[in-house]
Amino acid sequence: MSKKIVLLTGSGHHPGTSEALADAFERGALAAGHQVVRFNAGDVPVDFLKLAADQTVLPSQDQVATTVLPQVLAAEVIVLVTPLYYFGMTAQLKAVVDRFYTYNHALKDKQCVLLATAHRGPEAFATLRSFYRQFTQYMRWESLGEVLADTVRTPAELGDWPAKAEALGRHLT
């Protein structure tokens, strides 16, 4: 069964390690017959979530509001892709994720995937994994898996991590 997937990346580094994981996941998902829409928050200006004094969300007309959020609402699977910056996702990707706030109830019961890369060993992902686990529980999303490529600085050092990302994209349930 074909799924609608939104692949959200947050790196401005091209070509980079997280971009290579995203490319591999997308190849796998497309080969399996899924529909993939991709947005790289690292390449365009993204407004931060803005709240009025009464806690209502102030409107924005950036690309996230006009293009990305409607696609996220229609998607069945959300894929978060980031290099590790100070033990978390990039600020650009986090700004997009924060914009989900307005749609928390409409976004419930989706599926998600986390793809990330780091220069350090696997222990460096602890904070990101904790955020991801808590975020998915809060959003009532089912995690379909993670590919956390550690000890990589360049795409050439990724080894078999892209194959794992591609396999995950092929085997979404």
Side-chain angles (χ1 to χ4, degrees):
M1 178 168 82
S2 176
K3 293 188 181 240
K4 293 179 183 175
I5 300 169
V6 173
L7 192 63
L8 299 172
T9 64
S11 178
H13 182 217
H14 306 291
T17 54
S18 64
E19 184 176 51
L21 286 187
D23 292 345
F25 181 90
E26 185 174 16
R27 268 192 314 275
L30 291 171
H34 301 298
Q35 302 168 38
V36 179
V37 173
R38 188 164 169 170
F39 176 74
N40 186 3
D43 285 344
V44 298
V46 174
D47 291 343
F48 293 103
L49 176 68
K50 297 174 188 152
L51 299 175
D54 65 356
Q55 297 299 305
T56 57
V57 175
L58 297 174
S60 175
Q61 290 302 311
D62 67 355
Q63 194 172 354
V64 173
T66 60
T67 305
V68 177
L69 287 172
Q71 293 168 341
V72 167
L73 286 163
E76 296 159 278
V77 180
I78 311 300
V79 182
L80 303 175
V81 187
T82 186
L84 199 65
Y85 281 17
Y86 295 106
F87 310 99
M89 66 179 60
T90 64
Q92 296 94 323
L93 182 58
K94 183 65 167 73
V96 173
V97 169
D98 286 350
R99 298 279 292 283
F100 294 173
Y101 177 77
T102 308
Y103 303 98
N104 281 346
H105 296 293
L107 289 171
K108 69 179 183 179
D109 301 324
K110 294 197 179 285
Q111 297 176 313
C112 59
V113 170
L114 176 63
L115 307 175
T117 60
H119 295 194
R120 298 185 61 191
E123 70 284 350
F125 290 112
T127 302
L128 178 63
R129 292 185 83 210
S130 177
F131 167 80
Y132 177 70
R133 184 175 50 255
Q134 291 174 11
F135 176 69
T136 56
Q137 288 173 356
Y138 177 79
M139 297 297 287
R140 295 169 297 232
W141 289 0
E142 175 192 3
S143 177
L144 299 177
E146 304 170 1
V147 176
L148 306 176
D150 63 270
T151 322
V152 297
R153 292 183 185 270
T154 67
E157 296 173 347
L158 279 167
D160 67 344
W161 292 111
K164 292 177 182 180
E166 185 171 342
L168 185 55
R170 281 184 189 276
H171 298 103
L172 295 179
T173 57

